[in-house]
Amino acid sequence: MTIELIAIDLDGTLLTNDKKISLKVKDTLARAKEKGIKVVICTGRPLPGVMDFLKELNLEETGDYAITYNGALVQRTDDGTAIAHHTMSFDDFIEVEAMSQKIGVHCQTLDEKAIYTTNKDISPYTIRESSLVNMPVKYRSVQEMDSHLVISKMMMIDEPDILDAGIAEIPASFYDKYTVLKSEPFYLEVLNKAASKGQALKDLSDILSIPKENIMAIGDNENDRDMLVFAGVGVAMGNAVKGIKEISDYITDTNELDGVATVIEKLAFNH
């Protein structure tokens, strides 16, 4: 088995709990790139929210890629060009916004430039997301929203207990129409049905002509599930949720113990 591409989740996987990249992980990824292995960050964040990490890892050169918005977008990191983009329509916005109102949770909408909220009482989790991904927050009523907006994803956000109570009220038909995944205890992400990290990884592998058998994917949470299933080698972090550990081929150390470096050295460098 020869690993040609390593897809790595960001939060809880590549990053430590204080949102840093350890020196060991940084060195290991540099060695992987030197060996000609594609290193691809796969995250729920937009590109502006990962650029500092891409620069730190020297993954912003020609031929480097990132999967963002939980798979809604695959981009070249040198210039931000989209090579695959599974967007949502204004009709989707109306439907998802109405559902959030019905179940009593906050909602936000993201394009490639900003976070939009129709909630006058802006959620602290919207502010958190804005800070995390380096994007401005814009208040817009439903009537004020641009019907031509190119939507990458929407998010239902609230205190975990409020969000969980709301999720219990979402009908099965909603899940049939959209990709719906919980990326944090306070975030439920809603995307185009064709959008997921696994689908985005398939899109990229097709473009690069890399067979899935030669791909390693590393993650820790449910939004990483289909990416780990698609890859020839699916790796769960030691701190991953139970369901992700159960479907993975290999379990590495935690994000605090350089788990990404450990598994790359063991499975990608020794074959």
Side-chain angles (χ1 to χ4, degrees):
M1 174 188 66
T2 300
I3 298 298
E4 298 181 58
L5 188 155
I6 304 173
I8 311 172
D9 171 56
L10 192 65
D11 297 289
T13 300
L14 178 66
L15 303 183
T16 60
N17 293 340
D18 60 356
K19 306 302 181 184
K20 304 292 184 182
I21 303 173
S22 75
L23 290 176
K24 184 176 181 180
V25 169
K26 184 177 178 179
D27 175 68
T28 302
L29 294 182
R31 289 163 55 204
K33 186 171 182 178
E34 288 174 2
K35 292 175 179 290
I37 300 173
K38 290 285 186 186
V39 177
V40 180
I41 304 303
C42 304
T43 177
R45 301 190 193 194
L47 194 61
V50 297
M51 282 307 301
D52 287 347
F53 299 119
L54 293 172
K55 290 177 182 177
E56 184 178 352
L57 295 171
N58 195 31
L59 295 177
E60 50 167 351
E61 299 180 329
T62 301
D64 289 327
Y65 301 87
I67 291 171
T68 56
Y69 293 104
N70 271 320
L73 194 58
V74 182
Q75 294 172 274
R76 303 181 193 276
T77 58
D78 58 344
D79 61 7
T81 299
I83 61 173
H85 198 182
H86 302 292
T87 61
M88 299 174 74
S89 69
F90 189 70
D91 286 342
D92 293 328
F93 162 75
I94 295 296
E95 182 170 353
V96 176
E97 175 68 26
M99 181 62 69
S100 73
Q101 294 291 333
K102 181 178 179 180
I103 65 174
V105 301
H106 287 79
C107 185
Q108 62 191 29
T109 303
L110 290 82
D111 66 2
E112 292 187 56
K113 297 179 180 179
I115 301 171
Y116 303 87
T117 178
T118 62
N119 305 110
K120 288 185 177 180
D121 58 331
I122 297 176
S123 169
Y125 293 115
T126 294
I127 302 303
R128 176 187 185 275
E129 181 77 357
S130 172
S131 174
L132 196 67
V133 303
N134 298 317
M135 293 174 70
V137 175
K138 298 183 178 182
Y139 167 73
R140 297 286 188 275
S141 68
V142 173
Q143 294 75 23
E144 291 171 333
M145 284 290 286
D146 180 1
S147 62
H148 300 292
L149 199 68
V150 179
I151 299 171
S152 292
K153 71 175 181 179
M154 296 183 67
M155 302 170 71
M156 295 185 186
I157 55 172
D158 230 304
E159 297 296 336
D161 57 338
I162 296 174
L163 183 59
D164 287 343
I167 291 172
E169 300 299 319
I170 298 176
S173 58
F174 191 81
Y175 291 87
D176 292 337
K177 188 168 183 178
Y178 300 104
T179 292
V180 183
L181 50 89
K182 198 173 185 183
S183 57
E184 297 276 4
F186 35 78
Y187 288 155
L188 185 74
E189 309 207 10
V190 184
L191 305 97
N192 181 311
K193 188 66 175 177
S196 70
K197 288 187 179 182
Q199 181 59 53
L201 188 54
K202 181 181 185 304
D203 291 341
L204 182 58
S205 68
D206 288 345
I207 290 168
L208 298 177
S209 298
I210 296 176
K212 68 178 185 178
E213 292 79 12
N214 294 357
I215 296 174
M216 175 190 292
I218 312 172
D220 73 305
N221 217 325
E222 285 297 334
N223 58 326
D224 302 315
R225 175 179 288 270
D226 70 338
M227 175 175 78
L228 271 58
V229 170
F230 171 78
V233 182
V235 179
M237 298 297 292
N239 52 288
V241 298
K242 180 181 178 182
I244 293 303
K245 289 181 177 179
E246 290 175 346
I247 57 91
S248 295
D249 302 303
Y250 186 87
I251 300 173
T252 187
D253 294 326
T254 69
N255 61 325
E256 289 289 288
L257 295 176
D258 302 318
V260 167
T262 301
V263 71
I264 291 175
E265 289 176 346
K266 182 170 184 177
L267 301 184
F269 289 171
N270 294 331
H271 292 81

Coordinates of all heavy atoms in Angstrom, one line a residue, residues 3 14 17 58-59 64 70 77 79 87 91 119 129 131 160 162 170 172 180 183 193-194 222 228 253 270-271:
I3 N 0.6 5.3 0.2 CA -0.2 6.5 0.5 C 0.2 7.7 -0.4 O 1.3 8.1 -0.3 CB -0.2 6.9 2.0 CG1 -0.7 5.7 2.9 CG2 -1.0 8.1 2.3 CD1 -2.1 5.3 2.6
L14 N -5.9 17.7 13.6 CA -4.6 18.3 13.4 C -4.2 19.2 14.5 O -3.0 19.3 14.9 CB -4.7 19.1 12.1 CG -3.4 19.8 11.7 CD1 -2.3 18.9 11.3 CD2 -3.7 20.7 10.5
N17 N -5.8 21.1 21.6 CA -7.0 21.7 22.2 C -6.9 23.2 22.3 O -7.9 23.9 22.4 CB -7.2 21.1 23.6 CG -7.6 19.6 23.5 OD1 -8.1 19.1 22.5 ND2 -7.5 18.9 24.6
N58 N 3.1 25.3 5.0 CA 3.6 25.4 3.6 C 2.6 24.7 2.6 O 3.1 24.0 1.7 CB 5.0 24.9 3.5 CG 5.7 25.3 2.2 OD1 5.3 26.4 1.6 ND2 6.5 24.5 1.6
L59 N 1.3 24.8 2.9 CA 0.3 24.1 2.0 C -0.5 25.1 1.2 O -1.7 24.9 1.0 CB -0.6 23.2 2.9 CG 0.1 22.1 3.6 CD1 -1.0 21.4 4.5 CD2 0.7 21.1 2.6
D64 N -1.5 22.6 -4.2 CA -2.0 22.3 -2.9 C -3.5 22.5 -2.9 O -4.0 23.5 -3.6 CB -1.4 23.1 -1.8 CG 0.1 22.7 -1.5 OD1 0.4 21.5 -1.6 OD2 0.9 23.6 -1.2
N70 N -17.1 21.7 5.3 CA -17.5 20.3 5.4 C -17.7 19.6 4.1 O -18.6 18.7 4.0 CB -18.7 20.2 6.4 CG -18.2 20.0 7.8 OD1 -17.3 19.4 8.1 ND2 -19.0 20.7 8.7
T77 N -5.4 26.1 -2.9 CA -5.1 27.0 -1.8 C -4.2 28.2 -2.2 O -4.1 29.2 -1.4 CB -4.4 26.2 -0.6 OG1 -3.2 25.6 -1.1 CG2 -5.3 25.2 -0.1
D79 N -4.7 30.2 -4.8 CA -5.5 31.4 -5.2 C -6.9 31.3 -4.9 O -7.7 32.2 -5.2 CB -5.3 31.5 -6.7 CG -5.8 30.3 -7.5 OD1 -6.4 29.4 -6.9 OD2 -5.6 30.3 -8.8
T87 N -23.4 23.9 -3.8 CA -24.0 25.1 -3.1 C -25.5 24.8 -2.8 O -26.1 23.8 -3.2 CB -23.9 26.3 -4.0 OG1 -24.6 26.1 -5.2 CG2 -22.4 26.6 -4.3
D91 N -34.1 29.1 -2.2 CA -35.2 28.2 -1.7 C -34.8 27.4 -0.6 O -35.5 27.2 0.4 CB -35.7 27.4 -2.9 CG -36.6 28.2 -3.9 OD1 -37.0 29.3 -3.6 OD2 -36.8 27.6 -5.0
N119 N -31.2 36.5 13.1 CA -31.5 36.7 14.5 C -31.0 38.0 15.1 O -29.8 38.2 15.1 CB -30.9 35.5 15.3 CG -31.4 34.2 14.8 OD1 -30.5 33.4 14.2 ND2 -32.6 33.8 15.0
E129 N -18.0 31.6 15.9 CA -17.6 31.1 14.6 C -17.0 32.2 13.8 O -16.0 32.0 13.0 CB -18.9 30.7 13.9 CG -18.7 30.1 12.5 CD -18.1 28.7 12.4 OE1 -17.8 28.2 13.5 OE2 -18.0 28.2 11.3
S131 N -15.1 34.7 14.9 CA -13.7 34.8 15.3 C -12.9 33.7 14.9 O -11.7 33.8 14.4 CB -13.7 34.9 16.9 OG -12.4 34.9 17.4
P160 N -26.2 23.5 23.7 CA -26.4 22.1 23.3 C -27.7 21.5 23.7 O -28.3 20.7 22.9 CB -25.3 21.4 24.1 CG -24.2 22.5 24.1 CD -24.9 23.8 24.3
I162 N -30.6 23.0 24.1 CA -31.7 23.6 23.2 C -31.6 23.0 21.8 O -32.6 22.7 21.2 CB -31.5 25.1 23.2 CG1 -31.8 25.7 24.5 CG2 -32.5 25.8 22.1 CD1 -31.5 27.2 24.6
I170 N -36.9 17.6 14.1 CA -36.7 17.7 12.7 C -37.2 16.4 12.0 O -36.8 15.3 12.4 CB -35.2 17.9 12.3 CG1 -34.7 19.2 12.9 CG2 -34.9 17.9 10.8 CD1 -33.2 19.4 12.7
A172 N -37.8 13.3 9.2 CA -36.9 12.5 8.4 C -36.8 13.1 7.0 O -35.7 13.0 6.4 CB -37.4 11.1 8.3
V180 N -27.0 16.6 6.6 CA -27.2 17.2 8.0 C -26.2 16.5 8.9 O -26.2 15.3 9.0 CB -28.6 17.0 8.5 CG1 -28.8 17.7 9.8 CG2 -29.6 17.6 7.5
S183 N -21.3 18.9 14.0 CA -19.9 19.1 14.0 C -19.4 19.5 15.4 O -18.2 19.3 15.7 CB -19.4 20.1 13.0 OG -20.1 21.4 13.2
K193 N -27.2 18.2 -0.5 CA -27.2 16.8 -0.3 C -25.9 16.2 -0.9 O -25.4 15.1 -0.4 CB -28.4 16.2 -1.0 CG -28.6 14.7 -0.7 CD -28.9 14.4 0.8 CE -29.2 13.0 1.1 NZ -29.4 12.7 2.5
A194 N -25.3 16.8 -1.9 CA -24.1 16.2 -2.6 C -22.8 16.6 -1.8 O -21.8 16.2 -2.2 CB -24.0 16.7 -4.0
E222 N -18.3 13.1 13.9 CA -19.2 12.5 12.9 C -19.2 13.1 11.5 O -19.5 12.5 10.5 CB -20.7 12.6 13.5 CG -20.9 11.6 14.6 CD -20.9 10.2 14.2 OE1 -21.1 9.9 13.0 OE2 -20.6 9.3 15.0
L228 N -13.7 9.0 6.2 CA -13.0 7.9 6.7 C -13.4 6.6 6.0 O -12.6 5.7 5.8 CB -13.1 7.8 8.2 CG -12.1 8.5 9.0 CD1 -12.1 10.0 8.7 CD2 -12.3 8.3 10.5
D253 N -3.1 8.0 18.4 CA -3.1 8.7 19.6 C -4.0 9.9 19.5 O -4.5 10.3 18.5 CB -1.7 9.1 20.0 CG -0.7 8.0 20.3 OD1 -1.2 7.0 20.8 OD2 0.5 8.1 19.9
N270 N 6.3 3.9 6.3 CA 6.9 2.6 6.4 C 6.5 1.6 5.3 O 6.6 0.4 5.5 CB 6.7 2.0 7.8 CG 7.4 2.8 8.8 OD1 8.4 3.5 8.6 ND2 6.8 2.9 10.0
H271 N 5.9 2.1 4.2 CA 5.5 1.2 3.1 C 6.0 1.7 1.8 O 6.3 2.9 1.7 CB 3.9 1.2 3.1 CG 3.3 0.5 4.3 ND1 3.2 1.1 5.5 CD2 2.9 -0.8 4.4 CE1 2.6 0.3 6.4 NE2 2.5 -0.9 5.8

